[in-house]
Amino acid sequence: MKYLKEDPSVGDADSGEDVAESSILLEAQLQEFRRQMLELPPNYDPIARADLLLQIGRTLIRLENKQDAWEAGREAFDVYIDREAWEGAVQACDIMFLSEQPESLAALGQGIWLAVTFPMDPELTVAMLQHVVDETPPDSDGAAVAATVAHYIVDLRAEGRVREDLMFYTNQLLATVARRHSDVKDQGAFSQWFKKLELEDPAKFLPRLRNVVDVLVQDEWWIDRDAIRAKLPVQ
């Protein structure tokens, strides 16, 4: 999967030589992306530059150059928002979150808001919500809400084999959250836990996700949510 985390146990035995070789390859990729940016024509579409900034940002994350990755993500974000390219904006938020900078949580919150508000790659939406699961304490209801919304979005928006894979993934995510939250170990206990936390009704868990987003963003909103909502076909 493109956005979701791979099994962390895979690749743990990489040698120093492998790491060095990987860094050389990443540096070469970085230089190529920067070369492509320099060669953009005078009348280039800003989206083309933003797409390259995403590539640069993700490469910089892998090279542990997180400050520069943040700057690439932030510049790309502004372009995508200006052009109402919402999925690109969410990808930029993902880069900014992974950059581990002072405003990374604000970036995560805004990325989640956009990813849930607009139809886009459901795997990207799930990945953004999983960040909440990973960042919150084991007993946090916020993790349960995020995992539930991830499952709901997949059920609502995904199709075919992608839907099957992501439904399985989000089911496992929910099971993991339930286990760490309340030591849930079987289906009966899970059903009770799910009902107790009022995770059965979107009318209840979606407003709770808004609260999670507000905690992440605080007063650092970089988008005008009211203006964006006004353009939505259904209010």
Side-chain angles (χ1 to χ4, degrees), residues 26-181:
L26 288 170
E27 288 286 359
Q29 290 176 3
L30 182 61
Q31 294 308 312
E32 173 59 20
F33 294 139
R34 287 174 168 164
R35 183 191 65 77
Q36 291 178 33
M37 284 187 64
L38 290 173
E39 294 181 356
L40 287 170
N43 60 341
Y44 69 84
D45 182 349
I47 291 289
R49 178 180 173 86
D51 290 346
L52 285 169
L53 284 167
L54 287 186
Q55 300 275 23
I56 288 170
R58 293 202 181 278
T59 305
L60 288 167
I61 291 292
R62 295 179 67 187
L63 287 167
E64 298 292 326
N65 188 344
K66 295 185 176 181
Q67 177 63 49
D68 287 349
W70 166 274
E71 292 173 3
R74 189 68 174 86
E75 183 180 345
F77 177 84
D78 289 339
V79 173
Y80 288 128
I81 291 297
D82 184 60
R83 294 303 181 95
E84 298 185 1
W86 310 120
E87 186 166 325
V90 174
Q91 292 185 58
C93 286
D94 189 36
I95 289 170
M96 287 187 280
F97 171 72
L98 295 172
S99 298
E100 300 179 335
Q101 300 302 305
E103 293 180 308
S104 285
L105 290 180
L108 174 60
Q110 288 167 88
I112 290 172
W113 189 87
L114 290 168
V116 173
T117 300
F118 294 98
M120 61 183 64
D121 184 345
E123 185 184 326
L124 176 59
T125 304
V126 171
M128 298 301 287
L129 289 162
Q130 184 173 349
H131 290 320
V132 175
V133 174
D134 294 340
E135 290 296 311
T136 50
D139 60 352
S140 168
D141 289 357
V145 170
T148 300
V149 174
H151 190 71
Y152 172 73
I153 291 292
V154 171
D155 190 29
L156 195 66
R157 297 178 179 171
E159 297 178 350
R161 180 58 186 271
V162 170
R163 184 180 187 278
E164 293 178 15
D165 291 345
L166 287 177
M167 287 294 281
F168 177 80
Y169 187 90
T170 54
N171 268 319
Q172 294 298 109
L173 184 63
L174 269 168
T176 298
V177 170
R179 186 164 55 250
R180 77 177 198 179
H181 182 278

Side-chain angles (χ1 to χ4, degrees), residues 198-211:
E198 298 184 306
L199 300 174
E200 299 170 307
D201 185 356
K204 293 182 178 180
F205 63 70
L206 288 175
R208 292 169 68 189
L209 180 68
R210 288 199 292 269
N211 294 336

Side-chain angles (χ1 to χ4, degrees), residues 186-198:
D186 59 60
Q187 185 59 47
F190 179 85
S191 297
Q192 291 180 354
W193 173 83
F194 202 71
K195 186 175 182 179
K196 178 182 177 182
L197 292 186
E198 298 184 306

